Amino acid sequence: MSEYTPVDCGSYARYELAILRRHRLRLTWRDPAGLTRIETVRPLDLQTRAGEEFLLIEDSAGRKARIRLDRIARSTEIPGTPRP
């Protein structure tokens, strides 16, 4: 992987709030192959590994994945009824 660039505290706090509120997020990010992905996901947790920070997510098909925070280009919280 390329060198990690830490995200600002405000972005990190928004991910934390979306997790606590159980709100879905509309994310735009670059996957490890460099392709841009846009998807609505449910954020599950935040994780730090080897100095890199990740958002653990579940997609609409129930698949779980890990997205490195500095690869997220845009994030919009979708308020409403939280998914179980």
Side-chain angles (χ1 to χ4, degrees):
M1 283 196 168
S2 62
E3 190 173 317
Y4 178 72
T5 304
V7 298
D8 65 88
C9 293
S11 294
Y12 195 91
R14 283 190 294 279
Y15 298 133
E16 287 180 317
L17 283 174
I19 292 164
L20 290 172
R21 293 175 177 159
R22 298 178 58 125
H23 287 175
R24 291 174 293 140
L25 295 173
R26 178 82 168 162
L27 293 182
T28 302
W29 78 94
R30 289 181 332 280
D31 69 14
L35 300 173
T36 299
R37 306 225 4 225
I38 301 170
E39 197 167 338
T40 299
V41 302
R42 183 169 66 104
L44 302 172
D45 203 357
L46 290 160
Q47 180 182 73
T48 302
R49 281 193 166 173
E52 298 177 339
E53 297 170 305
F54 297 89
L55 179 64
L56 305 179
I57 58 108
E58 181 179 77
D59 69 13
S60 59
R63 294 179 298 249
K64 294 185 177 149
R66 187 172 69 154
I67 302 169
R68 206 170 81 176
L69 294 188
D70 66 339
R71 293 183 179 268
I72 298 173
R74 183 178 174 133
S75 170
T76 306
E77 188 172 334
I78 302 172
T81 307
R83 285 180 41 178

